[in-house]
Amino acid sequence: MHHALTILALVSVCGCGSWTNWSGTIHCQPRRVERPRSERELRAMVAAGSHVRVVGAGHSFNALACSNDVMLDLRELNHVLEIDAARGLVKVEAGITLHDLDEELAKRGLALGTEPTIDKITAAGAISTASHGTGFGHGAFSEEVTALDVIDAAGNKVIIDGGERLAAARIGLGALGVIYAITFRVERAFNFEIDERVVGEDEAFAQLDRLPLENEHADLFWLVTEHKVFLRTYKRTTAPVHLEHPAADWLLEHVVRTWVAHFGLAVASKIPGVTPLLNKAEPSTFRRRVEVDRSDRILHRFPGHQRVVSMEYVIPVEHTRAALRAIADSLTATGFYPNVPPYVRFVGGGGDGLLSPMRGRKSCAVEVLSYPGFAGWERFFRDLEPRFRALGGRPHWGKLFYENPHSLYEPAAWKGFASLHREIDPRGKFDNALMRWLLH
Ligand SMILES: Cc1cc2nc3c(=O)[nH]c(=O)nc-3n(C[C@H](O)[C@H](O)[C@H](O)COP(=O)(O)OP(=O)(O)OC[C@H]3O[C@@H](n4cnc5c(N)ncnc54)[C@H](O)[C@@H]3O)c2cc1C
């Protein structure tokens, strides 16, 4: 399903007239979608356009990438430009997917230290919204960036490689110029050992404080109606790759938990009474697994990719339990019956990204999801949002949010952002409706 939807998003980008994001829930009508094939073409297109918005792989759940004028799709700018293994740096074009980047690094015995779970997204799209993985050892993926080659509104190349300008540009929301190239910090290739199991929610929640401290990475899927949790912990190892039943697990992830689950959810969204049956069956599709694999393959391991809508708030970690209670309270208040498990990760507060939702504090990233066909998910998200905000939460820039997050950041952060914005784009060429709402 994930591949089919990616193709759908791609076709809608190339087909003139309308653009749809990966989840099929956000639409816009660009006048033109352009696909530059070289830096020169990119600079010329940027200089010529009056309003320009760049799109990555279209995996964001909100209208951040949308434009009704020119949209630039950089997926043909997807090459590795330089690798400096000795200094642990790789410079890539902005449109490379994380999957292709990981493969290129693996060929050279290198790896990223952290990255988001999804590998179909572009490097520039991932950093621009402060996307993240799990583990206190890292902040947002954007913090792995050491330099950016950015095209300004006049079509000139600007190198940003430190100081407050990089702190702003690393999470640019598509408004601080068009990123042409990104330099990432990388390390020597390594393996993770992952331990996956289903446990009772009491047992899982009793460990909430310890989990991120005792494990380099930990995340959990809350099977709310079954009072269970699918829990994963992973740590570095020098052990060789060891997979128990790779073919069966591939079928489970890509067929059962993606296509079959998608079909089940589509039916359940029309026939009340089916969702409880699906929820009941879900824990039995997971089994205890302790496996070792290449770091990127573990970081991208995900139990199925059904079409969803998503809202995620990054909340100070000491409020993890309160955040889970808030979900339960909102479900009760709105009567919404969960059909996709809430997902909880832990993220470090390191790095200087001005608009990083996790900056300066260890956090839990708490995500609620729904298959879009179910009535009532938006009422549930809207009821939950103020509860998350009351806990000090800040929204993920690439997911749904309804209240303006402007006031959730220090004025100095917006000042730094606005200063680079003025320098790169004095007339607002890169702004769209969502950006204007955020900035003013
Ligand atoms: C199935 C799925 C799984 C996900 N998993 C995770 C996860 O594990 N962790 C997480 O944090 N998030 C996750 N997300 C959210 C996702 O990581 C973000 O929405 C991400 O920004 C999407 O990247 P993209 O390449 O699709 O960019 P798009 O959504 O197309 O664009 C995102 C933003 O980046 C800007 N942009 C893109 N390219 C450029 C460029 N070259 N120069 C300047 N700006 C640019 C766009 O203008 C836009 O503002 C997931 C989303 C989905 C659908």
Side-chain angles (χ1 to χ4, degrees), residues 7 10 48 121 178 187 202 209 231 249 253 261 286 303 314 324 370 380:
I7 291 164
L10 200 132
I121 57 178
V178 177
E187 47 188 286
D202 289 345
D209 302 328
L231 179 62
D249 287 332
E253 178 178 337
F286 301 109
V314 179
L324 295 173
S370 171
F380 164 52

Side-chain angles (χ1 to χ4, degrees), residues 130-136 218-220 311-317 319-320 323-324 327 342-348 357-358 361-369 388 393-396 399:
S131 292
H132 61 89
T134 187
F136 277 168
D219 54 11
L220 54 95
M311 178 176 84
E312 177 183 309
Y313 265 72
V314 179
I315 295 166
V317 71
H319 299 315
T320 310
L324 295 173
I327 294 175
Y343 183 30
V344 180
R345 286 177 277 186
F346 301 95
V347 198
M358 50 287 274
R361 57 199 208 186
K362 289 186 172 145
S363 302
C364 61
V366 184
E367 180 176 11
V368 287
L369 309 107
F388 278 170
R394 299 183 187 127
H396 186 306
K399 302 191 179 177

